[in-house]
Amino acid sequence: MARTRNVSAASRSVQPELRATGLHVSPEEQCLLLLRDHRSLTASAIASRTDLSRPTIDAALRSLETAKIVTSDLRPTGKAGRPGRTYTFVPSDRMVGVDIGEHAIRAIATDRAGRILARYEADRVREPSRDTFLRDLDDVVRIVGEGASIAGVGLAVPGIVKAQKVKLSRVLPYLNDWDFHREIESLINVPLFVSNDVKAAALGEARLGAGTVDSSQVTVWLGRRVSSAVTFNGELFEGANGVAGEMTTAVGTQWTPGSVCGDWQWPSGRSPLQTAERAHAGDAECLASLHDYLKALADPLSRLVAILDPEVLVLAGALSETSAPLADFLAPYLKERLTVPFLPRIRRSAHGRYSTAVGALYTAFTNPSAPALAHWQLPAPTTLTENDPATEQADDPSHALAS
């Protein structure tokens, strides 16, 4: 008979992650987490990592095999006797994160273990409207889904988002006060979670990127516009109305002189990334422009740093993908403006322009999903890993969604 579990010392290597969910932890969930993170294990190996009895483990593994999210096969042990039975985590469904902005759309799809199966990037070429927004989202989910079952979709958009609704978006004004959450769920037929784009990027970096879950963090998005978001211990700080950390949206702050929402003018009409790359290659005009930009950025950013005193400052967005040493350039300008000798650790984003899609993906992991695992709770993975390159979609920024 299976032993009664308690959530104290039970399953030594499993409990910390599952306990964080605050939910009852079943034997199936303990086995799932171990198999997800180790790919394949024997029942004996699972037993050595938990306090579950063998009969309980065997029963849990039978349930998971019946649900077709675990498979087993006999493998030689290298010792005398029968081959050992090894269990492998093989959920067939996918989780998807989508970032839809004014000019571009990006998406990332993974399996339940956080292995990246597809990426997608395209220009948005359709006339902006609610109709085309729905079609763009439907198209990209279908493309990265590649015919597999989709368990959940996280969607990030520019604007103030509260309770799954866009309260104010100056970039995509047709989203304002549109209760599209249920409409989209009905269209794509999977659970959907909606969030702000820069807040999603901050969450993606805190949970699956350059930040750390147990720290305070300010994430600054450096791309066509400049924006920011705040996380504490891996959780977003959103404030009463969803505008916390968003200096640009909340008070109309111009991050840089002559800019509107951070739309800095770069030499010869180049993009921020093109300018930074040319600066790194020795172009004097581009180097001067990059330093002017970071110097101007340091002014409002130093105020945010002084108010929040974060442990980590993450530089995200397209500009963070440059080879130029942004952190080294920015640090002296911040020091000049702070009257205390404390500076946060400045880190480059782990996901660059995909940070928002990664954060949206994380929200899909942490919200209820329909197929297969609906019976059991499984925390989001703590890392993302690249799958076999041969099976990944190549990034193609020139690719455009059909009109």
Side-chain angles (χ1 to χ4, degrees):
M1 182 177 176
R3 288 180 292 173
T4 302
R5 296 174 303 106
N6 61 61
V7 187
S8 55
S11 53
R12 297 174 293 280
S13 63
V14 178
Q15 285 299 351
E17 290 178 65
L18 286 170
R19 188 168 53 240
T21 66
L23 298 168
H24 176 73
V25 184
S26 70
E28 287 84 359
E29 289 158 356
Q30 295 184 49
C31 293
L32 274 174
L33 185 58
L34 284 169
L35 291 172
R36 184 197 71 183
D37 293 344
H38 293 82
R39 300 290 291 274
S40 297
L41 289 171
T42 63
S44 296
I46 293 173
S48 70
R49 290 168 168 83
T50 71
D51 74 340
L52 299 174
S53 68
R54 272 302 296 268
T56 300
I57 292 170
D58 292 340
L61 291 171
R62 281 196 300 272
S63 295
L64 296 173
E65 278 199 277
T66 301
K68 297 183 179 179
I69 53 178
V70 165
T71 61
S72 68
D73 62 346
L74 295 174
R75 298 183 187 177
T77 61
K79 301 176 182 177
R82 295 183 303 169
R85 183 167 293 278
T86 300
Y87 296 86
T88 305
F89 180 62
V90 287
S92 59
D93 51 21
R94 295 188 177 196
M95 310 300 287
V96 176
V98 182
D99 167 21
I100 299 184
E102 181 181 11
H103 302 288
I105 183 167
R106 298 184 184 94
I108 187 167
T110 71
D111 65 13
R112 296 278 192 156
R115 288 185 288 273
I116 298 171
L117 303 175
R119 294 177 188 265
Y120 183 83
E121 180 173 2
D123 296 328
R124 295 192 68 201
V125 297
R126 292 168 170 151
E127 287 297 316
S129 70
R130 292 181 173 185
D131 232 14
T132 56
F133 180 85
L134 290 175
R135 282 195 286 162
D136 282 352
L137 179 61
D138 187 37
D139 283 353
V140 76
V141 171
R142 178 173 41 79
I143 289 166
V144 297
E146 297 180 326
S149 170
I150 305 296
V153 175
L155 169 65
V157 295
I160 299 169
V161 179
K162 190 73 174 175
Q164 302 273 33
K165 194 173 183 179
V166 178
K167 298 297 184 182
L168 173 64
S169 178
R170 296 188 177 102
V171 178
L172 303 179
Y174 53 84
L175 297 183
N176 293 340
D177 293 317
W178 175 26
D179 194 8
F180 61 80
H181 178 251
R182 294 187 186 279
E183 194 171 340
I184 292 175
E185 280 195 333
S186 174
L187 176 71
I188 61 179
N189 200 31
V190 295
L192 175 81
F193 190 82
V194 185
S195 57
N196 165 265
D197 55 356
V198 178
K199 285 182 169 55
L203 186 62
E205 291 296 335
R207 290 286 180 170
L208 297 167
T212 53
V213 174
D214 58 350
S215 68
S216 54
Q217 170 187 313
V218 169
T219 298
V220 185
W221 183 270
L222 306 174
R224 290 180 183 269
R225 60 192 175 97
V226 182
S227 196
S228 57
V230 180
T231 58
F232 293 109
N233 299 323
E235 300 294 335
L236 279 170
F237 176 55
E238 299 193 74
N241 298 291
V243 298
E246 269 277 21
M247 290 172 62
T248 311
T249 299
V251 294
T253 301
Q254 289 182 296
W255 283 91
T256 51
S259 67
V260 178
C261 289
D263 192 11
W264 179 266
Q265 299 303 306
W266 299 91
S268 305
R270 297 186 184 96
S271 72
L273 182 57
Q274 289 170 338
T275 303
E277 288 302 276
R278 289 179 70 95
H280 190 60
D283 185 306
E285 181 190 21
C286 288
L287 183 61
S289 180
L290 181 60
H291 274 279
D292 286 345
Y293 173 79
L294 294 173
K295 193 172 183 179
L297 178 68
D299 223 18
L301 187 55
S302 63
R303 297 189 189 106
L304 196 57
V305 166
I307 292 167
L308 296 171
D309 191 21
E311 295 168 69
V312 181
L313 174 63
V314 176
L315 306 180
L319 186 54
S320 71
E321 297 178 357
T322 182
S323 307
L326 288 185
D328 292 343
F329 290 166
L330 178 61
Y333 297 131
L334 283 177
K335 284 180 181 177
E336 284 176 12
R337 286 157 177 78
L338 293 171
T339 58
V340 292
F342 311 118
L343 198 65
R345 300 190 302 276
I346 304 176
R347 292 180 176 172
R348 186 194 302 268
S349 159
H351 302 293
R353 66 189 187 278
Y354 275 94
S355 293
T356 295
V358 168
L361 174 76
Y362 182 82
T363 66
F365 270 105
T366 55
N367 284 275
S369 54
L373 289 181
H375 300 293
W376 303 294
Q377 296 294 330
L378 187 63
T382 55
T383 57
L384 295 183
T385 57
E386 296 290 342
N387 201 31
D388 181 352
T391 66
E392 282 189 41
Q393 289 188 356
D395 295 346
D396 184 4
S398 64
H399 188 192
L401 290 174
S403 59

